[in-house]
Amino acid sequence: MTQDTRNKARIGRTAEESKPWWPELPRPRDGAPNVVVILFDDTGFSHFGCYGSTIDTPNIDRLAAGGLRYTNFHTTALCSPTRAALLTGRNHHSVGMRGLANWNTGFPNCTGGVAKSAATLAEMIRPQGYSTFAVGKWHLTPMEETSAAGPFDQWPLARGFDRYYGFLQGETDQFAPELYCDNHPIDQPRTADEGYHLTEDLVDQAIGMIRSQKSAVPERPFFLYLCFGATHAPHQPPKAFLDKYKGRFDEGWDATRQRWFERQKALGIIPADTELAPRNPGVDAWDSLPAEQRTLALRLQEAFAGFLDHTDSQVGRLMAFLEQIGERDNTVTMLMSDNGASQEGGAIGVIDTFKYFNGIPETLEESMGRLDDIGGPKSNTNYPWGWAQVGNTPGKRYKQNTHGGGIRDPLIVNWPAGIHDAGGIRTQFHHVTDITPTLLEIVGVHPPELLNGVAQMPVHGESLAYTFDAGSRELPTRKQSQYFEMYGSRAIFSGGWKAVTFHKPGTPFDDDRWELYHLDTDFSECRDLAREQPERLAKMIELWWTEAGRYGVLPLDDRRAQLWTPSPRTRMPRNRERYVLYPPVAHMSGEVAPPLGNRSFTVTAELDRPVAGMQGALFALGSAHNGIAFYVLGDRLVFDYNLFATHYKAVSDRPIPVGAATVSVAFEKIGEAGRATVSIDGVACGRVDVPKVLRMISSNGMDAGRDAGSAVSDDYQVPFDFQGTIKRLVFDLPRRPKRDEREARAAQQASDQSRQ
């Protein structure tokens, strides 16, 4: 046997003639702190109380009072890119995450995963003796790779984390989430009726991981990456937090925005001479709105506020646990958001966000009939533009945009043992790529040049640890420049100046109008100096192109419909025309499950029911909000097309025979409508017409042989497992006609335009 040359033991014929050797276990530097990174989703610059809002966030405010608040911190304007930049310290285009993990355009800047040449913080510090935990939203795995079959090389455990618990998609239902533990799907531990809420579950899991590690090896520090679903839609707080905010915003978004603006000045979060940006396009004066529209907008904002408040309470619970076990003082906590407040609720807001994604206008009359659903398990809400802009006070525009409302976000850093300027405010310009180099400096680890045999690209960020000292308040930023690009909108920061352009999809990039702002004297980007200083603007635009070339931003691409088109790679699930499943199968995400949106399909199930009355789901795709379910109820075969809680059901007019049987449903797309026909042993026996075929079906995926999450049909309660045997479940999906593809693109473009 060949001896490992790295082993320094001396080997003789016997133990007496040999000398053992034990390698030193990796360990961080003495006194290296624990690290907690808490990431909120779609939370704007002003949403925390310590940044100006009147929403109760006492635990976050306590972190700020004991640490530092940054007022010139920036993100990428979208979730997956910010997460990639945060964890790697590299720019998002450089690592392949130009946009969402759902997209793969075939260009190196948009692959849906993080390049192996860009190690994550977890990959860099785990070999130095850190325990590493990821909890909550991940959204950094190509969505077509999120099935139980993997591949797993872009899942958290393959990117440096010892443990993972959370959801892989960009959003999930807070009362009925799609959960994963380590490398496999799991059911939620209890139902909403039993008191379940995802945010509480995530903190339970985070505490459990830390408790186990500190009990077993207390000498080892930990890194916890905790990413809440809050405050991304759906806005779903527990009822007590929803009720708490009734009437709290009755003065409307204009008065509330002005109030938060004045609070920001009083808190020192913005300069005293800051201007409040004008209303964004499409945001009407509050007093001009019809009474019913105001009522709806208020209820949606109350749901958002309760959601944020409830999440703050869970932050407090985590901090209390760290205090209890004596780890609080030597824990660096960074708390931030991934982008600005979301514009995806449209002008009046939505009770079901997937109506928005399907290009289906939600009328005010429809919404008023569902006011009592808002915030609860029967809703999937997002608030209107007016309230989103309040969350981005004092800036303009939103998430997805490169103006301040999309990219300027809160950052709180708290470290009792290492920061001694409690309540300090820092105004130096910084960017989300600066988080990893900051933490590497704090824990004493240098980025590796080679990891797992892959040469590593340089870290692009600049540590902001120099701002921790009390004497650093007036120091100039060490961040010389930073580019931005999202959906074709662009910006560049350099030397206190910012050039920015808002790009309208489908228009020539050369037609974009660039604006110029001196951020050092114009916090909210209100005074455009482009005409007054054309030479400076030209140099800034030239710098943007230089940085774009350096960091792999090109090619510019605003083809939004193509972003959701499956990549043509072979062996990928979305490129098949036949799927054969062997139930039970759980949690096939939307990009892995048979794609049933916007098309015709046939599903055939080979059953064995030894006893009459054996029932259960054959498959369920989606949730109680919208989806498709095919099931046996009693002895009848049922197909339920759930069109936003209006159920269109084809029910067999005869029972399924006992024993072996073959059942099927044939769904035909007819223009924008559809028709479903159910059959038993080849004989049609039930039909239903569906007025609208969904293009996008929920963020919840498919269960086969069961429905275990949010019940798609109102005929049963979950879990609804099939009691017999399903030998095979076969989905046949004929290739879509080109006309349907054009319709899908047109609908997507119309939906995109409605966001602007």
Side-chain angles (χ1 to χ4, degrees):
M1 183 178 73
T2 302
Q3 183 178 347
D4 185 348
T5 57
R6 295 170 296 180
N7 193 303
K8 299 178 182 178
R10 188 177 73 244
I11 307 300
R13 291 189 174 187
T14 67
E16 289 76 10
E17 297 173 357
S18 305
K19 182 179 180 180
W21 173 81
W22 293 270
E24 284 290 326
L25 293 175
R27 56 176 295 176
R29 66 169 177 80
D30 290 341
N34 306 307
V35 174
V36 174
V37 173
I38 301 174
L39 189 60
F40 278 71
D41 201 331
D42 290 5
T43 305
F45 179 77
S46 66
H47 269 140
F48 299 144
C50 54
Y51 277 82
S53 93
T54 53
I55 298 172
D56 295 335
T57 58
N59 297 289
I60 294 170
D61 298 349
R62 195 171 299 117
L63 285 173
L68 303 173
R69 278 170 293 173
Y70 290 77
T71 63
N72 208 356
F73 177 73
H74 295 75
T75 58
T76 71
L78 203 63
C79 55
S80 296
T82 289
R83 291 156 203 271
L86 186 161
L87 284 175
T88 67
R90 284 90 166 186
N91 285 305
H92 60 292
H93 294 86
S94 301
V95 305
M97 197 64 73
R98 177 199 134 201
L100 298 180
N102 309 66
W103 305 338
N104 184 338
T105 63
F107 297 116
N109 64 11
C110 191
T111 66
V114 177
K116 299 296 179 62
S117 57
T120 69
L121 177 63
E123 288 176 299
M124 290 187 268
I125 68 176
R126 183 169 66 174
Q128 306 304 316
Y130 269 78
S131 296
T132 53
F133 312 127
V135 177
K137 175 176 170 176
W138 180 245
H139 210 197
L140 291 175
T141 301
M143 288 296 108
E144 58 194 13
E145 298 179 6
T146 57
S147 77
F152 299 101
D153 62 315
Q154 291 288 2
W155 288 45
L157 267 59
R159 297 312 307 255
F161 289 98
D162 296 319
R163 294 296 315 278
Y164 173 65
Y165 184 94
F167 59 101
L168 298 174
Q169 260 281 13
E171 67 175 53
T172 196
D173 191 293
Q174 299 296 301
F175 295 108
E178 273 195 332
L179 289 174
Y180 295 80
C181 180
D182 298 332
N183 277 357
H184 62 277
I186 61 170
D187 292 339
Q188 65 189 71
R190 58 189 183 280
T191 67
D193 290 341
E194 295 168 330
Y196 179 85
H197 193 280
L198 176 61
T199 308
E200 297 172 9
D201 188 16
L202 296 180
V203 173
D204 285 344
Q205 295 295 326
I207 288 174
M209 292 177 188
I210 297 169
R211 187 193 307 276
S212 296
Q213 188 256 308
K214 285 298 180 181
S215 296
V217 189
E219 300 84 2
R220 184 184 302 162
F222 65 85
F223 166 38
L224 169 64
Y225 176 57
L226 174 59
C227 302
F228 292 117
T231 52
H232 193 292
H235 300 153
Q236 295 171 308
K239 189 174 186 304
F241 286 85
L242 181 65
D243 292 344
K244 176 180 177 180
Y245 284 90
K246 288 183 177 178
R248 288 274 289 266
F249 302 101
D250 284 359
E251 60 186 354
W253 56 53
D254 289 326
T256 300
R257 186 164 176 251
Q258 184 67 39
R259 183 185 303 277
W260 290 13
F261 177 61
E262 298 301 334
R263 281 173 55 87
Q264 288 177 322
K265 289 182 181 180
L267 291 167
I269 290 299
I270 61 176
D273 61 353
T274 300
E275 296 180 41
L276 184 62
R279 295 188 201 95
N280 290 327
V283 177
D284 294 324
W286 179 259
D287 290 342
S288 72
L289 300 179
E292 287 189 341
Q293 187 174 338
R294 292 199 301 268
T295 297
L296 174 63
L298 288 170
R299 295 289 284 271
L300 292 170
Q301 170 67 0
E302 290 164 6
F304 174 90
F307 196 20
L308 176 56
D309 188 340
H310 174 247
T311 309
D312 172 85
S313 72
Q314 301 310 302
V315 171
R317 192 158 65 90
L318 175 62
M319 292 299 118
F321 171 73
L322 295 178
E323 186 77 41
Q324 173 191 332
I325 64 173
E327 296 290 340
R328 180 73 182 83
D329 284 352
N330 200 31
T331 295
V332 179
T333 301
M334 291 188 166
L335 187 146
M336 68 196 80
S337 175
D338 62 357
N339 45 244
S342 171
Q343 62 182 295
E344 291 154 8
I348 67 172
V350 292
I351 293 182
D352 197 309
T353 60
F354 270 80
K355 283 190 176 180
Y356 165 78
F357 293 131
N358 278 280
I360 301 174
E362 193 170 72
T363 68
L364 185 58
E365 182 180 2
E366 290 172 335
S367 298
M368 291 301 293
R370 296 186 59 198
L371 287 179
D372 290 341
D373 289 342
I374 291 175
K378 295 181 180 179
S379 72
N380 196 300
T381 65
N382 205 344
Y383 55 11
W385 290 335
W387 286 118
Q389 188 169 16
V390 173
N392 293 330
T393 304
K396 60 177 67 170
R397 297 200 181 274
Y398 318 92
K399 168 189 175 182
Q400 304 180 17
N401 306 145
T402 52
H403 283 78
I407 61 176
R408 191 189 289 254
D409 288 292
L411 168 66
I412 296 168
V413 181
N414 182 289
W415 184 16
I419 294 177
H420 305 292
D421 185 22
I425 293 175
R426 297 293 183 266
T427 60
Q428 291 91 346
F429 178 94
H430 274 284
H431 184 256
V432 68
T433 51
D434 303 334
I435 298 301
T436 278
T438 303
L439 293 170
L440 289 174
E441 179 179 344
I442 290 171
V443 305
V445 173
H446 296 286
E449 296 182 1
L450 192 73
L451 184 74
N452 298 327
V454 179
Q456 297 293 294
M457 69 177 71
V459 170
H460 302 150
E462 177 75 42
S463 171
L464 53 78
Y466 72 94
T467 66
F468 289 178
D469 294 335
S472 67
R473 298 180 185 181
E474 306 303 322
L475 288 178
T477 182
R478 295 182 182 176
K479 187 83 168 180
Q480 297 304 310
S481 65
Q482 178 63 46
Y483 82 89
F484 301 87
E485 187 276 334
M486 189 56 60
Y487 286 125
S489 290
R490 292 160 281 164
I492 183 77
F493 167 86
S494 179
W497 290 80
K498 178 182 177 182
V500 59
T501 180
F502 173 78
H503 176 73
K504 185 176 181 180
T507 62
F509 289 103
D510 289 342
D511 290 352
D512 291 345
R513 187 179 72 81
W514 284 83
E515 305 158 25
L516 179 67
Y517 300 104
H518 189 200
L519 291 188
D520 287 351
T521 60
D522 183 12
F523 188 98
S524 54
E525 303 172 13
C526 284
R527 298 186 291 276
D528 182 4
L529 303 177
R531 291 185 178 179
E532 297 176 29
Q533 301 201 39
E535 293 182 2
R536 182 186 294 276
L537 177 61
K539 290 181 180 179
M540 295 285 284
I541 296 172
E542 182 181 359
L543 177 60
W544 186 90
W545 285 105
T546 299
E547 297 292 273
R550 176 179 301 164
Y551 293 115
V553 180
L554 307 178
L556 289 173
D557 189 351
D558 66 352
R559 302 170 303 160
R560 295 198 184 186
Q562 279 78 2
L563 293 174
W564 297 97
T565 301
S567 66
R569 294 186 294 168
T570 59
R571 302 195 307 272
M572 287 295 104
R574 302 293 268 187
N575 296 318
R576 297 201 297 270
E577 294 180 17
R578 167 168 275 219
Y579 295 72
V580 181
L581 278 54
Y582 302 96
V585 180
H587 290 5
M588 298 181 71
S589 73
E591 280 78 4
V592 175
L596 305 185
N598 200 45
R599 72 189 311 161
S600 300
F601 58 84
T602 299
V603 186
T604 303
E606 299 172 12
L607 310 181
D608 186 10
R609 299 167 63 248
V611 179
M614 299 184 81
Q615 61 183 11
L618 305 180
F619 80 85
L621 171 64
S623 70
H625 309 297
N626 69 87
I628 301 172
F630 189 36
Y631 51 97
V632 178
L633 189 69
D635 288 321
R636 302 284 172 164
L637 182 65
V638 187
F639 175 83
D640 184 344
Y641 203 97
N642 177 349
L643 192 61
F644 302 105
T646 299
H647 296 265
Y648 297 89
K649 300 175 184 178
V651 182
S652 66
D653 59 14
R654 68 199 68 169
I656 302 171
V658 172
T662 299
V663 300
S664 65
V665 58
F667 187 82
E668 181 184 7
K669 183 176 185 293
I670 308 168
E672 291 296 305
R675 175 174 295 160
T677 303
V678 296
S679 299
I680 298 174
D681 291 328
V683 179
C685 53
R687 176 175 294 171
V688 68
D689 290 327
V690 179
K692 172 72 176 178
V693 175
L694 293 168
R695 183 175 68 246
M696 294 181 66
I697 305 175
S698 183
S699 57
N700 285 26
M702 177 183 289
D703 288 328
R706 65 201 306 253
D707 189 352
S710 173
V712 175
S713 178
D714 58 358
D715 275 343
Y716 56 77
Q717 294 181 332
V718 293
F720 193 50
D721 295 343
F722 187 67
Q723 296 167 332
T725 300
I726 306 174
K727 296 178 180 179
R728 294 198 317 163
L729 186 65
V730 181
F731 293 77
D732 287 303
L733 288 72
R735 186 171 295 278
R736 293 184 179 95
K738 293 192 176 189
R739 181 173 61 85
D740 280 0
E741 293 175 359
R742 289 197 300 270
E743 288 174 357
R745 285 197 296 271
Q748 180 68 51
Q749 289 167 357
S751 175
D752 290 337
Q753 290 170 3
S754 74
R755 303 184 190 191
Q756 309 309 321

